[in-house]
Amino acid sequence: MILKSKDADRSQSIRAKAGTQQEKDVAFYLCRAFKDDKQVFVLNDYKFTFNGETAQIDHLIVYPFGFVLVESKSIKGEVKVNSALEWTRSYGNKWTGMPSPIQQVELQKKLLKELLSDNCEQILEKKLGVQGRFGGRCWDVFCAISSDAIIDRESMPLSITGQLVKSEFLVDSIIKKMNIKSSLMKIIKFADTRPAFSTNELSSINDFLLSQIKSHSSHDIESPEDVVEVPQSKQSTQNNNQVIKINCKHCGESERFVYKSGRYGYFKQCGNCEKNTPLSIACIHCSSKKTKVSKRQDSYTLICTDCDNTTMVM
């Protein structure tokens, strides 16, 4: 069953678009395989935050015995991994190093496990008075690369070769790893000693994961859809200059804020829900989205690059 589809593509560069297409290809294979499966749940492009860290998992699979995390990589040439687990890829006639996708998804797995473990009491049931945990479950990772890539498996460590697959073979690898037996096989064979989530626990896990999905913060703003629109009722005047008071776009908090700056400019971190609200909003004079915020001492000014009007924001 597909719980979350891939988010809309906001990328502009050719490389970013190639990566997005690879994620779409993998999402297609997963949808075709598991869309009607009542034991396998897929979340594509899953983003969450825990303990001040944010992780984005390309594809997360939840099933009765645990979790599978998949990192998608658009690799069109050849890929090699040496005995030190260092990755290289070819592009044309040139070889370059690249970050390990397996290490990347392992870090995502670690943060996800911490998030779930920290909330196990509200997610998992108690059995015979013992609280269920996530640590003893199956936690597996894969890296899915383009189907037209070339994989040098002769010199690749065995620990990697089973985790690196082409997109077209990913589903087969996941099914083999999950090893979910049919009802008949469960009756005939009793060798599987893996602890399994109950139906209620699976539902609780999925509900919890969906509740953790974060809306785009100021660090992620790339389209006008994420711009905060401030109603006229939120505007006031001070010293004959217009001042816009921006409330938290998540919970509506109006007083408790900490002003911060990030990759995409200045924003307010809410003291109530701890989520971010950007100060760069649409121009109140011409409604243009082409605005930026400048800071002078403790004052913030919204500057419209289309009509050149300036407005104080707080």
Side-chain angles (χ1 to χ4, degrees), residues 102 141-143 153 156-165 170 173-174 177:
I102 298 298
V141 301
F142 288 98
C143 174
R153 296 193 184 276
M156 186 174 294
L158 291 177
S159 61
I160 297 295
T161 191
Q163 296 174 309
L164 179 61
V165 296
L170 175 64
S173 298
I174 290 175
K177 180 64 68 174

Side-chain angles (χ1 to χ4, degrees), residues 84-212:
L85 305 183
E86 298 168 334
W87 291 58
T88 54
R89 62 186 295 181
S90 66
Y91 186 80
N93 296 321
K94 185 178 179 181
W95 282 88
T96 59
M98 64 175 288
S100 167
I102 298 298
Q103 181 64 19
Q104 180 180 345
V105 75
E106 286 286 352
L107 292 174
Q108 296 165 352
K109 182 184 79 173
K110 180 177 181 293
L111 191 63
L112 178 64
K113 187 183 293 188
E114 290 174 356
L115 169 67
L116 292 174
S117 297
D118 194 60
N119 293 275
C120 65
E121 293 183 358
Q122 71 179 80
I123 302 174
L124 300 182
E125 302 168 343
K126 284 186 178 181
K127 297 178 180 179
L128 300 177
V130 179
Q131 176 62 55
R133 301 290 177 182
F134 287 97
R137 314 295 175 163
C138 297
W139 292 85
D140 296 294
V141 301
F142 288 98
C143 174
I145 65 173
S146 310
S147 293
D148 56 356
I150 300 173
I151 303 175
D152 182 359
R153 296 193 184 276
E154 291 186 5
S155 59
M156 186 174 294
L158 291 177
S159 61
I160 297 295
T161 191
Q163 296 174 309
L164 179 61
V165 296
K166 294 187 177 183
S167 301
E168 59 188 320
F169 301 119
L170 175 64
V171 167
D172 291 338
S173 298
I174 290 175
I175 290 176
K176 183 178 180 180
K177 180 64 68 174
M178 292 191 302
N179 191 25
I180 302 176
K181 296 179 174 60
S182 65
S183 299
L184 178 61
M185 291 299 290
K186 288 180 181 179
I187 295 175
I188 297 175
K189 295 186 177 181
F190 301 90
D192 198 335
T193 59
R194 296 176 294 174
F197 297 123
S198 68
T199 301
N200 288 338
E201 286 179 325
L202 276 176
S203 178
S204 181
I205 291 169
N206 293 330
D207 288 343
F208 177 79
L209 290 173
L210 290 172
S211 74
Q212 297 302 301

Side-chain angles (χ1 to χ4, degrees), residues 2-22:
I2 308 302
L3 297 182
K4 183 184 181 300
S5 301
K6 174 163 174 47
D7 292 336
D9 180 19
R10 304 179 179 202
S11 60
Q12 297 297 325
S13 68
I14 295 177
R15 176 174 291 186
K17 287 183 176 181
T20 297
Q21 185 58 51
Q22 169 64 9

